Amino acid sequence: MSSNFHKPAPNVPYWTPVQDPPVGTALDPASAPTLFKPIKIRGVELQNRFVVAPMCQYSADDGHVTDWHFAHLSQFIIHGTPLTIIEATSVTPNGRISPDDVGLWKDSQIAGLKRIADFAHSQGQKLGIQLAHAGRKGSTLAPWLAPEGSVGALASPEEGGWGDNVWAPSAIKYTDGFPDPKAMTAEDIKTLVQAFKDAARRAVEAGIDVIEIHGAHGYLITEFLSPLSNKRTDDYGGSFENRTRLLFEIIEAVRSVIPDTMPLFVRISATEWMEWSGEPSWDLEQSIRLAKLLPAAGVDLLDVSSGGNNENAKINVHPYYQIDLAGKIREAIKKDNLNLLIGAVGLITNAEMARSIVQEGKSLTQGATAHDSAEVAEEAGQTTQADIVLVARQYLREPEFPLRVAHELGVEVKWPIQYSRAQWRKGQKI
């Protein structure tokens, strides 16, 4: 199909009108806050600083995405988010959290992802994927199927589970409702690294723009990083160098099969919130140490989350509890003049919060804390805690979150041309 009235979007296998510039672009970038200024990461440019964080949907068919995933992700793509990251995508069948997770361990899983990537590109937006292995938290049921009050529920073989083939660095169970894992052999580790490499190659074939390696939330890479879950005595356990070895082998393998122009992200839990236990655990100090090694390994952005590796974690939850961690890592990175971007995630629900996290400016005055930044900005300058904001649950409530934030901040941005008649009036309360 063609039209004499619209320019077609280039390089997509069907006709759709081009969004020029892409939705979410500030119409006057010079006067826009940092949140609506573009950022270039290797060969990928994002027109603003919003990213859809990976969100598990537990709705895949033998690892293949379905129309649910297309509809779920497309609503963010059309509403001005420059980068939407597909949920945790397992690199092996036993690396899924549940039998209903997305996977990329075989070629037949490429086509569904390519359909979503083609749509994102038709709108001038980018698509990412989070490659993952669930480790000892695998072979569980979708959360809505677990008994009320329980952390998880083991999927039986009849329900598609693989409780007899769950991998972990050491044979230490996560908690009740989870399987008894097997300590990985050296051969298992080689198989895993190759699986990440093969999945990355398939992601490139699917047209994915950005790859994120999932090293957070108590899944397999986290389990290797933490001395609480990693009791190995070989080259993958004990010292910091050994506990981080698997992550760096995966980074090297992925980087070897993706274009130089493709950004590579890593997500970590900056702390497992177990400092109180009196035992060695993964903490912010080690995260900073790790972060300083990532640029040389070919990582472009560190996505900072926390927790997930121990049910006894003591977390002081407040709106900035994870963003403060990101800010401390970013400060350490900048102090050493290292080229690593930082992403902040968690409880980002409103315009001023999103703006303040990435706003470039001066440091805060003495006595001000990071989460006072919005209030003290006018008097003391603005601390910058991250370079992008990754948003999850707020997108489920408001798929148009970037457009809404722009309106609330008084920033004029490009809307989808098909929706242009629905734009809020300047100054209109919404």
Side-chain angles (χ1 to χ4, degrees):
M1 180 179 177
S2 61
S3 169
N4 295 323
F5 302 102
H6 300 301
K7 281 186 179 180
N11 304 317
V12 290
Y14 48 81
W15 185 89
T16 188
V18 67
Q19 305 284 350
D20 185 19
V23 178
T25 301
L27 300 184
D28 183 11
S31 65
T34 306
L35 186 61
F36 285 96
K37 290 185 184 297
I39 183 170
K40 189 167 185 181
I41 311 174
R42 289 197 184 239
V44 171
E45 182 166 290
L46 311 180
Q47 72 270 25
N48 61 51
R49 306 302 178 92
F50 288 97
V51 175
V52 174
M55 290 180 276
C56 289
Q57 298 296 293
Y58 307 100
S59 300
D61 179 11
D62 187 31
H64 299 79
V65 294
T66 68
D67 281 359
W68 172 264
H69 299 92
F70 185 89
H72 164 68
L73 297 168
S74 295
Q75 61 183 330
F76 314 130
I77 290 167
I78 67 174
H79 282 110
T81 301
L83 175 61
T84 298
I85 303 180
I86 297 166
E87 66 190 75
T89 299
S90 183
V91 299
T92 65
N94 77 340
R96 292 171 291 173
I97 302 166
S98 82
D100 308 306
D101 283 16
V102 174
L104 197 45
W105 66 80
K106 55 185 176 182
D107 289 351
S108 62
Q109 293 158 341
I110 295 171
L113 298 174
K114 189 173 190 309
R115 180 184 175 216
I116 302 170
D118 286 343
F119 180 74
H121 299 157
S122 77
Q123 304 304 303
Q125 315 291 23
K126 307 298 189 296
L127 189 69
I129 195 165
Q130 185 185 66
L131 299 182
H133 192 290
R136 65 179 181 168
K137 296 177 84 172
S139 192
T140 57
L141 295 173
W144 56 79
L145 297 175
E148 187 174 351
S150 66
V151 180
L154 184 63
S156 68
E158 294 74 24
E159 294 164 319
W162 53 95
D164 61 345
N165 187 34
V166 170
W167 285 350
S170 303
I172 302 172
K173 186 174 182 174
Y174 176 61
T175 190
D176 293 341
F178 287 79
D180 293 306
K182 299 190 299 186
M184 294 175 71
T185 65
E187 193 60 36
D188 291 336
I189 290 174
K190 289 180 183 178
T191 298
L192 176 75
V193 174
Q194 184 64 45
F196 269 94
K197 185 175 182 177
D198 292 341
R201 174 186 55 76
R202 293 186 183 102
V204 172
E205 190 175 337
I208 298 295
D209 301 287
V210 174
I211 288 177
E212 176 170 272
I213 296 169
H214 197 353
H217 302 162
Y219 300 121
L220 187 61
I221 293 174
T222 310
E223 295 161 23
F224 270 87
L225 295 177
S226 168
L228 290 175
S229 48
N230 183 350
K231 303 296 184 182
R232 300 177 73 95
T233 57
D234 62 3
D235 289 345
Y236 294 89
S239 68
F240 172 87
E241 289 79 8
N242 283 359
R243 286 182 284 111
T244 59
R245 188 181 306 278
L246 175 63
L247 173 59
F248 283 106
E249 288 183 357
I250 290 170
I251 290 168
E252 182 180 13
V254 169
R255 192 81 257 177
S256 72
V257 293
I258 65 177
D260 288 341
T261 54
M262 177 180 275
L264 180 60
F265 296 2
V266 170
R267 171 172 275 195
I268 62 166
S269 287
T271 173
E272 51 187 327
W273 301 107
M274 291 295 292
E275 292 87 348
W276 62 271
S277 69
E279 296 181 60
S281 63
W282 185 262
D283 56 19
L284 180 60
E285 181 181 352
Q286 290 172 87
S287 291
I288 291 172
R289 186 177 173 186
L290 174 65
K292 291 181 177 182
L293 299 173
L294 293 177
V299 174
D300 303 290
L301 182 140
L302 181 64
D303 175 0
V304 181
S305 188
S306 72
N309 198 42
N310 199 298
E311 65 167 342
N312 297 313
K314 293 184 178 179
I315 307 174
N316 177 22
V317 178
H318 58 82
Y320 283 79
Y321 82 103
Q322 293 186 143
I323 295 156
D324 287 348
L325 297 169
K328 289 173 182 175
I329 295 174
R330 189 178 188 275
E331 181 181 8
I333 290 296
K334 292 297 180 184
K335 186 176 180 181
D336 285 4
N337 295 313
L338 294 170
N339 187 22
L340 180 71
L341 298 172
I342 300 296
V345 66
L347 304 181
I348 301 169
T349 61
N350 63 71
E352 184 52 41
M353 185 178 184
R355 184 201 66 80
S356 71
I357 291 167
V358 300
Q359 183 62 34
E360 295 171 353
K362 302 179 215 173
S363 298
L364 295 174
T365 54
Q366 187 175 6
T369 64
H371 41 276
D372 292 328
S373 58
E375 289 75 17
V376 302
E378 291 298 321
E379 300 83 11
Q382 187 72 50
T383 185
T384 307
Q385 293 165 280
D387 301 284
I388 63 169
V389 289
L390 294 104
V391 180
R393 295 180 192 182
Q394 195 61 24
Y395 269 114
L396 301 183
R397 304 178 188 107
E398 298 175 342
E400 76 287 355
F401 189 56
L403 301 180
R404 183 179 291 268
V405 167
H407 179 76
E408 292 178 5
L409 295 179
V411 180
E412 289 191 66
V413 297
K414 176 74 162 47
W415 270 54
I417 54 175
Q418 299 94 327
Y419 290 6
S420 57
R421 289 178 295 177
Q423 292 184 62
W424 297 296
R425 298 186 306 278
K426 191 172 183 178
Q428 178 182 352
K429 290 188 176 182
I430 56 173

